């Protein structure tokens, strides 16, 4: 089962060298690197594949600016989550339990658990779809293989957090290299890309719906909870200056890791634009994208696409389970065996497939569940990190608070639009 994150014995000397000022530059970042890499998986999960394919196929490079904006918001909130854990030695769920009214704590716990399960449904199904298409397997068989692989990866945590972080980092690398390869295969209009990437443009109401899907699902509830837990006891700073040094390194890692995730998302849109925009703008499903890639760009491009999807599904499913355990431990101080947690989070996916629900539709509906849960951790995070009695000299400065509040209001407003559209109250 997931335990409190604490420094491994072999890591402590390297961390102490950094805190004592005996390591500088990149060598200073490496001992503390890992948490942002793990949470960056939330930004390249199978749900992102679906929205990015739609954006590129239908609007070419026109919605790239949305991906950039979403990534900047993600950097802001993940840096706040990491700082909360570093300064307080508590994760976000624990602080909610300790400082919020008990009825609200239970509501947040239930909603956050459901969100974690919805997240895992999308990630688990994504990996299973990739395996099923890649090896021509029944979807249920792909789901079984995904379950076994992700559980094996989770067992690495028992041997020390560094092994699991390296495994997740390797899977992120597979996704990144896959899309780098796709950029050499798909035709790309670099001049048009450069002109549109920073120019806001929403040509019609359908573009608004896709933009809402990209931004509204970017700041993931489970990632906000998890990041604070991964940093809360990673090192043992003795002074305020040492804690400040750790925060600077954490912010640097957030920028680097989420920049890579952002570039991967941009590459997804660019690939979809190059492959589908001219001739197949209606491509919206992962399965359709794969089948269409074969005649357009060849079997190699289609295979690379599926390999990246499988790596994304494996890594994000692992991270989703980790977050679910941390949420339960934080809110109600209760743990269940890892195998039971993995089994419980897999059940909705099997139920969806056995019931005959379209897998891509299930991915979309899981994003609706995330939209319902998102306000709770987002508002709590801004509130906690702005309090001087909790954060001391590390509380948010006014510009950061203003930026966080504005970003939160924008994301929450877009999530409300997404929910209203999902339930038919508005039509985009």
């Amino acid at each position: 089962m997931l335990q409190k994150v604490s420094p491994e014995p072999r890591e402590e000397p390297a961390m102490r060298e950094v805190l004592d000022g005996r390591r500088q530059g990149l060598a200073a970042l490496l001992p503390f690197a890992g948490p942002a890499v793990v949470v960056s998986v939330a930004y390249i999960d199978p749900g992102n594949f679906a929205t990015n394919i739609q954006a590129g196929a239908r609007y070419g490079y026109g919605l790239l600016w949305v991906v950039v904006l979403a990534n900047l918001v993600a950097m802001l909130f993940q840096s706040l989550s990491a700082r909360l854990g570093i300064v307080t030695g508590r994760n976000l769920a624990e602080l909610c339990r300790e400082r919020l009214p008990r009825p609200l704590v239970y509501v947040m716990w239930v909603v956050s658990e459901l969100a974690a399960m919805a997240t895992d449904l999308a990630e688990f199904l994504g990996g299973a779809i990739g395996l099923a298409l890649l090896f021509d397997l029944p979807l249920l068989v792909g789901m079984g293989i995904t379950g076994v692989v992700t559980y094996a990866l989770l067992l690495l945590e028992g041997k020390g957090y560094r092994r699991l972080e390296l495994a997740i980092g390797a899977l992120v690398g597979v996704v990144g290299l896959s899309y780098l390869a796709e950029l050499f295969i798909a035709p790309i209009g670099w001049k048009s890309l450069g002109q549109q990437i920073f120019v806001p443009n929403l040509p019609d109401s359908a573009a608004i719906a896709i933009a809402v899907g990209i931004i509204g699902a970017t700041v993931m509830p489970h990632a906000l909870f998890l990041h604070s837990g991964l940093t809360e006891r990673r090192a043992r700073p003795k002074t305020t200056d040492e804690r400040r040094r750790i925060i600077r390194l954490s912010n640097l890692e957030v920028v680097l890791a989420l920049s890579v995730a952002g570039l991967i998302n941009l590459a997804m849109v660019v690939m979809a634009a190059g492959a589908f925009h001219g001739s197949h703008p209606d491509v919206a499903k992962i399965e359709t994208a794969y089948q269409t890639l074969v005649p357009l760009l060849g079997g190699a491009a289609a295979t690379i696409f599926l390999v990246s999807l499988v790596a994304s599904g494996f890594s994000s499913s692992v991270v989703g389970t980790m977050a679910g355990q941390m949420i339960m431990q934080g809110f109600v101080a209760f743990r269940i065996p890892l195998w039971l947690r993995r089994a419980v989070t897999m059940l909705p996916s099997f139920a969806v497939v056995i019931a005959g629900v379209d897998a891509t539709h299930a991915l979309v509906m899981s994003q609706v569940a995330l939209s319902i849960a998102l306000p709770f951790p987002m508002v709590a995070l801004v509130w906690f990190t702005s309090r001087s009695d909790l954060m001391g000299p590390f509380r948010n400065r006014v510009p950061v608070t203003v930026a966080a509040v504005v970003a939160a209001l924008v994301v929450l407003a877009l999530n409300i639009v997404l929910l209203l559209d999902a339930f038919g109250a508005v039509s985009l």
Side-chain angles (χ1 to χ4, degrees):
M1 66 187 67
L2 189 68
Q3 303 293 335
K4 287 286 186 184
V5 178
S6 58
E8 297 178 4
R10 71 173 187 274
E11 291 294 322
E12 288 186 357
M15 290 181 177
R16 180 45 50 192
E17 287 179 9
V18 175
L19 298 179
D20 291 341
R22 289 178 284 139
R23 279 198 185 200
Q24 302 292 331
L26 181 61
L29 176 62
L30 291 177
F32 293 92
V37 174
V38 171
V39 298
S40 72
V41 170
Y43 302 99
I44 53 172
D45 70 1
N48 292 89
F49 276 65
T51 56
N52 290 334
I53 288 170
Q54 285 183 309
R58 190 157 187 173
Y59 297 102
Y61 308 131
L63 297 182
L64 287 176
W65 68 272
V66 181
V67 179
V68 174
L69 177 62
N71 207 60
L72 293 174
V73 173
M75 287 181 183
L76 172 60
F77 278 92
Q78 293 304 153
S79 65
L80 293 181
S81 178
R83 190 199 311 172
L84 184 70
I86 293 169
V87 173
T88 66
R90 294 282 189 276
N91 62 56
L92 180 57
E94 289 173 329
L95 287 170
C96 289
R97 186 187 77 224
E98 295 169 1
R99 293 175 175 265
L100 297 179
R102 190 62 54 188
L104 179 58
V105 170
Y106 287 125
V107 170
M108 290 183 67
W109 171 53
V110 172
V111 171
S112 299
E113 286 283 4
L114 292 175
M117 294 179 69
T119 300
D120 196 68
L121 185 148
E123 295 159 346
F124 188 71
L125 276 179
I129 291 170
L131 280 176
L133 293 173
L134 188 60
F135 298 106
D136 194 22
L137 301 170
L139 183 57
L140 284 174
V141 175
M143 293 170 68
I145 295 173
T146 302
V148 171
V149 172
T150 53
Y151 181 69
L153 288 170
L154 284 164
L155 291 178
L156 290 176
E157 197 274 339
K159 300 181 182 297
Y161 65 77
R162 183 61 74 187
R163 295 188 184 187
L164 181 57
E165 289 175 352
L166 289 173
I168 291 174
L171 290 170
V172 172
V174 169
V175 179
L177 291 174
S178 296
Y179 271 92
L180 180 62
E182 295 280 21
L183 293 180
F184 286 98
I185 299 174
I188 299 172
W190 293 105
K191 182 178 179 180
S192 177
L193 186 158
Q195 291 173 342
Q196 297 184 61
I197 190 169
F198 298 116
V199 180
N201 178 38
L202 292 170
D204 55 35
S205 60
I208 298 174
I210 295 176
V212 168
I214 293 173
I215 298 179
T218 290
V219 183
M220 308 290 278
H222 72 293
L224 297 183
F225 284 111
L226 183 61
H227 206 162
S228 60
L230 294 176
T231 59
E232 62 177 316
R233 299 183 184 180
R234 193 177 185 86
R236 300 184 179 93
K238 299 176 181 179
T239 65
T240 298
D241 286 341
E242 289 185 354
R243 185 168 277 108
R244 185 171 286 109
R245 187 172 293 120
I246 294 172
I247 291 173
R248 284 200 298 266
L249 292 170
S250 174
N251 290 340
L252 176 59
E253 191 206 1
V254 167
V255 171
L256 293 176
L258 293 193
S259 291
V260 171
L263 289 173
I264 292 173
N265 278 310
L266 289 172
M268 289 183 191
V269 177
V270 169
M271 185 278 292
F276 307 130
H277 181 54
S279 56
H280 296 80
D282 57 340
V283 170
K285 294 185 177 181
I286 291 173
E287 299 95 322
T288 307
Y290 164 69
Q291 293 160 359
T292 308
L293 275 174
V294 175
L296 286 179
L297 301 182
T303 299
I304 291 171
F305 171 75
L306 290 183
V307 168
S308 67
L309 178 61
V310 171
S312 169
F314 285 173
S315 56
S316 57
S317 189
V318 169
V319 171
T321 303
M322 292 170 63
Q325 278 283 60
M326 190 167 291
I327 287 169
M328 177 175 284
Q329 290 174 205
F331 276 114
V332 293
F334 182 74
R335 292 196 299 262
I336 61 175
L338 183 59
W339 66 267
L340 180 58
R341 179 85 205 183
R342 178 71 277 194
V344 169
T345 53
M346 285 167 50
L347 287 178
S349 301
F350 279 95
V352 163
V353 173
I354 293 173
V357 178
D358 178 75
T360 300
H361 179 69
L363 290 178
V364 174
M365 292 309 296
S366 72
Q367 302 306 306
V368 174
L370 295 180
S371 299
I372 296 173
L374 182 57
F376 294 96
M378 180 175 279
V379 172
L381 183 59
V382 174
W383 185 58
F384 284 139
T385 54
S386 299
R387 293 184 55 175
S388 58
D389 62 326
L390 184 65
M391 302 293 289
F394 301 102
R395 69 185 184 279
N396 295 340
R397 295 183 178 179
V398 173
V400 174
T401 299
V402 171
V405 169
V406 170
L409 290 175
V410 170
V411 173
L412 295 180
L414 290 174
N415 274 276
I416 290 172
V417 173
L418 179 64
L419 288 172
L420 293 175
D421 179 56
F423 291 107
V426 299
S427 180
L428 293 179

